[in-house]
Amino acid sequence: MPFLDMLRPKLPSKNEGVCRFDYPEVFVLILTVVLLALHYDFRPTSMALLVITTLPSLMILIYNYRRKMSFWTSNIVIILFSVVVGSLQFCPVISLSLVFLIGIRIIISGPENYLKLITVALVTAIVFYYVSTILDGTDMDCGEGWLSNTILLASMVVVLCQFRRVYQEYTGYKVRAKQATGRLSTMVSVINKLTRFVPPQVWEPIVRADSPVSVSNKRAKLTIMFSDIIGFTELSDSLSADNLADILNTYMHCMTLIANKHGAVLDKFIGDGMVCFFGEPDSRGPRQDALDCVAMAIDMRREMRTLRQKWRLMGFEGLYIRIGITTGYCHVGNFGSNNRLSYTLIGKEANLAARLEASAGKDKILVSESTYDYICHNYECHHAGAFQLKGFDNKVNAWQVLDPDAHKGHLSKWVDHTLPGFNLHLNFKDMKDDDYQDIRDRLNFALERIEQEQEKVAVTIAAEAKHSDNHHK
């Protein structure tokens, strides 16, 4: 899977982004108490402070070597700092330096821990302030000489190091975020392109639920439709490949829009034909699936009439659609291997729909008896006969679905009439409000031309009749 590996974001390693010593403040803490012990000639108070802070600090360094920061280690570090600040009786420069380090530790510990750590720091500093006052009894003068400046310098170095580390992490995250955004955009673009090859009823549940995909299928009751174009094979012998591809792509585009509108699963294109079915993965019940399939077939036949008029103006004659529909049980699902799957259907009913389509005439929709039983109360059909179909021992009864608009008289949404030299095709469903006047003007112009031609024909006939009478005299 090299392509998916290329798109998959790079995950950070276990120790990525972890500083070798993630607690440089601890070094300042140890340095502070050691300098205090030296400064006060290892008096008992400073020695006790050294022991109290140094041993836990060393344990923290050892435990957190190449580990990420946690709340509890931050809590211990802040307590140790607060112990020193309180024991020094809030000496200005040193206390301020250590408070800065406490602030850094609180900030990088996370917003949810701010209040806890601040409370711990204040309570610990105050407690040890009073403890040191009671035990020592005298104020500690820790502002003389080099001690305060050394600790202040060390604290500034730590602050700058922490800032540098945080800034490097920020820039690193920014670069990785940009790379991840680029990978995500690439993945979305690729997925959008790949979804054109898979029915939306198949890929949408996979994307929505992130469910596993494997070789699996089940038996389900489906309504299946096969269709193709009559006259396309003959036309392909006389057209260039460019014109042929343009006609086929236009046809497939229009039919795909209709299939999607009705909720059909567009299984595949077979040359100039297509296979659709209803019932899986989303079924509205066998009867409604059959009604939806027939409604889709009728819309496809109507759309083909519109396309045929356009193609006639381009000089391409004789293109008609034929459709076969049946309802029955098939196996539907993922067929193939773990490396290459195809969501499709197999079964005798699929073969029956293909045979009915081959037996249908121009602009005819043939349905089997099983489909007819579901739709006969909603659509007018007439018995087309019993057909001996290839692969079936007994003859198969088929019914032709009539156009619902064909028997509504003036209420019809379609007017389609063809004579030699005359083509009339009106589709009222697609007309816009501002088109009617233009259509009326063109029809009136056509009527005037018909009257003119009719008068010319009448004059010609009268002249020929007069000439014939004079000749006989």
Side-chain angles (χ1 to χ4, degrees):
M1 307 284 283
F3 175 72
L4 293 181
D5 289 340
M6 179 187 69
L7 294 179
R8 188 177 291 114
K10 179 180 177 296
L11 297 177
S13 61
K14 180 179 180 181
N15 295 322
E16 184 177 345
V18 181
C19 186
R20 184 171 180 83
F21 293 105
D22 198 33
Y23 296 92
E25 299 96 323
V26 177
F27 287 107
V28 178
L29 181 61
I30 296 174
L31 177 64
T32 301
V33 294
V34 170
L35 292 179
L36 284 172
L38 292 172
H39 185 70
Y40 292 106
D41 298 325
F42 297 100
R43 68 173 64 170
T45 304
S46 60
M47 288 302 297
L49 187 61
L50 179 64
V51 173
I52 291 173
T53 56
T54 302
L55 290 179
S57 299
L58 292 175
M59 292 177 62
I60 290 174
L61 288 177
I62 295 172
Y63 177 77
N64 287 287
Y65 178 74
R66 295 190 66 81
R67 282 188 175 90
K68 290 188 176 181
M69 182 180 59
S70 67
F71 166 73
W72 293 110
T73 52
S74 291
N75 195 32
I76 295 172
V77 170
I78 289 176
I79 289 175
L80 294 177
F81 272 117
S82 302
V83 167
V84 176
V85 171
S87 300
L88 293 179
Q89 300 173 12
F90 301 106
C91 292
V93 176
I94 298 178
S95 298
L96 184 62
S97 302
L98 301 184
V99 167
F100 278 147
L101 298 181
I102 292 175
I104 290 178
R105 180 54 52 180
I106 291 174
I107 290 172
I108 63 178
S109 294
E112 68 279 3
N113 300 321
Y114 287 171
L115 184 59
K116 299 176 184 177
L117 296 178
I118 291 173
T119 303
V120 167
L122 289 175
V123 171
T124 304
I126 293 172
V127 168
F128 275 86
Y129 171 78
Y130 284 105
V131 169
S132 64
T133 303
I134 294 172
L135 292 178
D136 197 9
T138 60
D139 293 336
M140 299 182 67
D141 187 10
C142 50
E144 296 179 353
W146 48 267
L147 178 62
S148 299
N149 295 331
T150 303
I151 296 174
L152 179 61
L153 178 62
S155 300
M156 291 176 61
V157 170
V158 171
V159 171
L160 292 176
C161 288
Q162 289 285 11
F163 174 78
R164 178 178 176 272
R165 183 174 68 85
V166 172
Y167 180 74
Q168 286 180 338
E169 289 182 356
Y170 166 74
T171 54
Y173 286 139
K174 191 173 181 180
V175 170
R176 287 196 290 272
K178 187 175 181 180
Q179 293 174 348
T181 302
R183 292 191 189 98
L184 182 61
S185 299
T186 303
M187 291 181 68
V188 171
S189 176
V190 171
I191 291 173
N192 285 336
K193 295 174 183 176
L194 291 177
T195 54
R196 297 185 180 184
F197 296 89
V198 184
Q201 296 90 341
V202 177
W203 65 261
E204 284 181 352
I206 296 174
V207 173
R208 190 181 302 115
D210 193 19
S211 56
V213 179
S214 59
V215 178
S216 63
N217 54 78
K218 65 178 181 179
R219 188 169 180 264
K221 194 168 191 178
L222 308 176
T223 297
I224 309 158
M225 186 207 78
F226 276 68
S227 71
D228 75 345
I229 304 175
I230 296 179
F232 187 81
T233 303
E234 294 77 6
L235 186 65
S236 62
D237 296 333
S238 59
L239 286 182
S240 65
D242 293 339
N243 288 333
L244 198 65
D246 182 65
I247 290 176
L248 187 59
N249 287 331
T250 301
Y251 168 78
M252 295 298 184
H253 172 72
C254 295
M255 298 304 156
T256 300
L257 293 179
I258 295 175
N260 292 337
K261 182 182 74 172
H262 288 273
V265 176
L266 179 52
D267 185 8
K268 61 175 72 73
F269 294 114
I270 308 174
D272 61 328
M274 60 191 300
V275 182
C276 300
F277 62 87
F278 292 79
E280 276 294 325
D282 299 318
S283 175
R284 301 174 61 189
R287 182 174 183 273
Q288 189 58 50
D289 290 339
L291 290 172
D292 291 340
C293 187
V294 172
M296 177 186 70
I298 292 174
D299 281 351
M300 287 181 173
R301 180 169 61 183
R302 290 169 178 168
E303 183 64 23
M304 190 62 179
R305 293 173 183 172
T306 303
L307 294 175
R308 187 164 57 248
Q309 297 301 325
K310 296 179 181 178
W311 291 334
R312 278 175 179 168
L313 297 177
M314 299 169 61
F316 308 138
E317 292 280 353
L319 294 178
Y320 297 85
I321 193 174
R322 60 182 178 184
I323 298 174
I325 301 174
T326 187
T327 302
Y329 284 95
C330 289
H331 277 81
V332 59
N334 300 323
F335 293 87
S337 67
N338 290 328
N339 295 327
R340 178 68 167 85
L341 294 174
S342 176
Y343 186 85
T344 186
L345 74 163
I346 60 172
K348 187 176 181 181
E349 297 300 328
N351 297 332
L352 176 57
R355 299 291 182 262
L356 288 174
E357 175 261 308
S359 302
K362 294 180 179 180
D363 272 354
K364 304 299 182 184
I365 301 173
L366 289 186
V367 299
S368 66
E369 186 170 4
S370 57
T371 304
Y372 172 77
D373 291 339
Y374 283 124
I375 70 165
C376 61
H377 298 292
N378 296 78
Y379 293 96
E380 185 176 357
C381 307
H382 73 77
H383 188 253
F387 297 87
Q388 186 64 56
L389 302 178
K390 182 179 178 181
F392 295 85
D393 297 333
N394 301 322
K395 289 187 176 182
V396 177
N397 288 310
W399 279 260
Q400 178 184 339
V401 180
L402 304 179
D403 194 327
D405 287 335
H407 303 281
K408 292 182 181 178
H410 65 281
L411 297 178
S412 173
K413 294 294 183 180
W414 293 79
V415 177
D416 194 358
H417 190 61
T418 302
L419 291 173
F422 175 76
N423 292 322
L424 177 62
H425 176 76
L426 296 177
N427 181 4
F428 294 100
K429 293 176 65 176
D430 293 339
M431 290 183 185
K432 299 178 181 179
D433 294 340
D434 53 353
D435 291 340
Y436 289 108
Q437 185 58 45
D438 185 44
I439 294 172
R440 187 181 294 107
D441 293 340
R442 292 180 181 274
L443 289 175
N444 289 332
F445 176 76
L447 288 174
E448 292 177 1
R449 292 287 292 115
I450 291 173
E451 292 175 356
Q452 293 174 3
E453 292 297 324
Q454 188 176 12
E455 290 178 359
K456 289 181 181 180
V457 171
V459 170
T460 301
I461 292 175
E464 290 178 352
K466 184 177 181 180
H467 177 72
S468 177
D469 292 342
N470 292 335
H471 179 71
H472 286 299
K473 291 181 179 179

